[in-house]
Amino acid sequence: MLDERLMKGKSSNNDPVKCNSHQFIKKARNFNLTKNDMNCKQANAVPISIIMESFSLFPSKQNRKSAFYFALDREERTPSLLVDYSNNTAFDFGTGKKYDVISIVQLIKRCSVAEALSFISLNNFSQTFSTPGWDVAADTNCIDAVTDVKHPALIDYLTRRKLNTEIGELVEIRYCNLGKTFFGVGFKNDSGGYEISNALKFKRCLGRKDITSICNAQSILRMFESWSDYLSFKVINNSSNHGDADYVVLNSVSMIQRFARNPMGYASVELFFDNDDAGDRATELLKQQFTMAQDQRFLYSDHKDLNEFLKSRK
């Protein structure tokens, strides 16, 4: 059975160890971009950081004025794409090319100007987003509450994804932004930030972007792109011992570059990434970096990811 192939062992009552909280990040902007009459001026008013975040791309280094990202059209070990928050432009030191919002979308999606404008107009960038580098440790209104997941909409969201049995791994987060209250399920990362998701398919990071490490002092490491894949793995193997390995959740495939630079002393690294281009690149990068890395996607090759595989099971 696939359950047995994914993992062998017995159940454990040991809870995983996660890192403590640090600071949160917040600075919000509202954009009332309509889906009609979108022009270049309107499109270029959207911060590049928001565009990057919509593609799950996050900075490797940042401050209040700028941030460094890894190049979007090649693999590299040192980030070379500088985003200037003030001018809302990006400059690639590797190629000498300068980008605005539209050309960044063109680069990522490999599309025309018209297609880039269509993408920007059709996506709901009127949502409020965090801007990297803004320290709000003193802003007590940033987060209203962090509680157990209780809201019926969130429980239904997790139930439809067949993750409700792992509800204890998540928290319910309520936070304010520009006078409005938002809520979602939160998954904590190593820097004290939270990956936020809800039934409206709204995803963002509240706080500093980072990976989530679950350390059990084992010689096997299992890596996942998202918290939903990690929890799906646990559900599929509900009778297995989850203390027989260490776990890393990237919380974005873009974080693979940061992790790939860190030394690892594992005898085996099992990769459970998505069956898409980004998953292919991440898998190949780690296989080149570490000879002990093993691609496990053959176990769910007919599905986009582990959660899609889980939902397909009767």
Side-chain angles (χ1 to χ4, degrees):
M1 294 177 63
L2 177 58
D3 301 19
E4 297 175 351
R5 283 160 38 194
L6 276 173
M7 192 182 210
K8 296 182 180 180
K10 299 180 179 180
S11 61
S12 171
N13 294 323
N14 296 329
D15 293 327
V17 178
K18 295 186 179 180
C19 298
N20 295 326
S21 297
H22 296 296
Q23 297 178 335
F24 289 98
I25 298 171
K26 170 192 170 187
K27 184 182 180 184
R29 298 179 182 177
N30 258 344
F31 297 93
N32 298 316
L33 302 181
T34 63
K35 294 183 179 181
N36 299 314
D37 302 323
M38 169 65 70
N39 57 44
C40 293
K41 183 176 181 180
Q42 288 176 305
N44 282 324
V46 179
I48 288 179
S49 60
I50 290 179
I51 296 294
M52 301 288 273
E53 186 172 339
S54 73
F55 288 100
S56 295
L57 299 171
F58 298 89
S60 176
K61 302 176 183 178
Q62 62 183 356
N63 55 48
R64 290 175 179 267
K65 297 181 179 180
S66 62
F68 269 102
Y69 293 75
F70 287 97
L72 304 177
D73 56 357
R74 63 188 182 276
E75 293 181 0
E76 58 182 6
R77 295 189 178 184
T78 302
S80 63
L81 182 68
L82 175 67
V83 172
D84 184 332
Y85 293 146
S86 300
N87 296 319
N88 202 32
T89 57
F91 181 79
D92 189 332
F93 283 92
T95 63
K97 294 181 179 179
K98 187 175 181 179
Y99 299 92
D100 58 10
V101 173
I102 295 173
S103 55
I104 277 286
V105 174
Q106 285 184 271
L107 177 63
I108 296 173
K109 292 181 64 66
R110 301 181 184 277
C111 64
S112 66
V113 171
E115 290 169 329
L117 285 171
S118 177
F119 167 81
I120 297 169
S121 65
L122 290 175
N123 282 271
N124 186 15
F125 290 119
S126 62
Q127 294 268 13
T128 55
F129 288 80
S130 62
T131 298
W134 188 266
D135 185 356
V136 292
D139 187 354
T140 57
N141 293 322
C142 180
I143 295 180
D144 284 345
V146 179
T147 66
D148 294 338
V149 180
K150 299 177 180 179
H151 196 286
L154 297 180
I155 293 175
D156 178 66
Y157 166 62
L158 294 174
T159 300
R160 284 187 282 109
R161 301 191 72 177
K162 296 189 176 181
L163 300 175
N164 52 302
T165 59
E166 303 300 322
I167 200 169
E169 293 271 358
L170 304 165
V171 294
E172 180 175 318
I173 298 210
R174 293 178 176 271
Y175 59 98
C176 288
N177 218 334
L178 296 180
K180 298 180 180 180
T181 300
F182 302 87
F183 70 95
V185 293
F187 183 72
K188 196 174 184 180
N189 66 37
D190 288 356
S191 290
Y194 287 94
E195 300 297 320
I196 308 296
S197 302
N198 60 30
L200 300 177
K201 296 183 178 181
F202 176 61
K203 297 180 181 180
R204 64 172 290 181
C205 178
L206 181 63
R208 184 175 299 172
K209 191 73 178 180
D210 204 349
I211 64 174
T212 300
S213 305
I214 300 167
C215 305
N216 296 306
Q218 298 296 323
S219 61
I220 299 174
L221 176 68
R222 296 189 174 108
M223 297 184 66
F224 304 86
E225 285 191 34
S226 67
W227 61 266
S228 61
D229 292 325
Y230 164 63
L231 296 188
S232 296
F233 183 89
K234 293 190 66 177
V235 173
I236 292 169
N237 297 278
N238 57 2
S239 62
S240 298
N241 180 3
H242 291 278
D244 68 347
D246 289 353
Y247 295 85
V248 163
V249 182
L250 294 176
N251 294 318
S252 169
V253 73
S254 64
M255 302 297 288
I256 194 68
Q257 294 278 4
R258 178 183 300 181
F259 190 84
R261 297 195 304 275
N262 294 333
M264 294 189 295
Y266 292 99
S268 175
V269 179
E270 299 176 359
L271 310 177
F272 296 86
F273 297 152
D274 290 0
N275 285 307
D276 58 15
D277 290 342
D280 291 343
R281 289 193 296 270
T283 299
E284 289 305 312
L285 176 63
L286 283 182
K287 286 176 66 177
Q288 293 173 12
Q289 191 82 6
F290 307 106
T291 57
M292 75 291 289
Q294 303 170 10
D295 186 359
Q296 301 295 311
R297 293 179 298 169
F298 67 91
L299 298 169
Y300 49 97
S301 57
D302 294 333
H303 300 86
K304 179 182 182 296
D305 54 34
L306 270 174
N307 188 242
E308 290 297 323
F309 167 72
L310 173 62
K311 291 190 295 183
S312 72
R313 300 170 75 222
K314 295 183 179 180

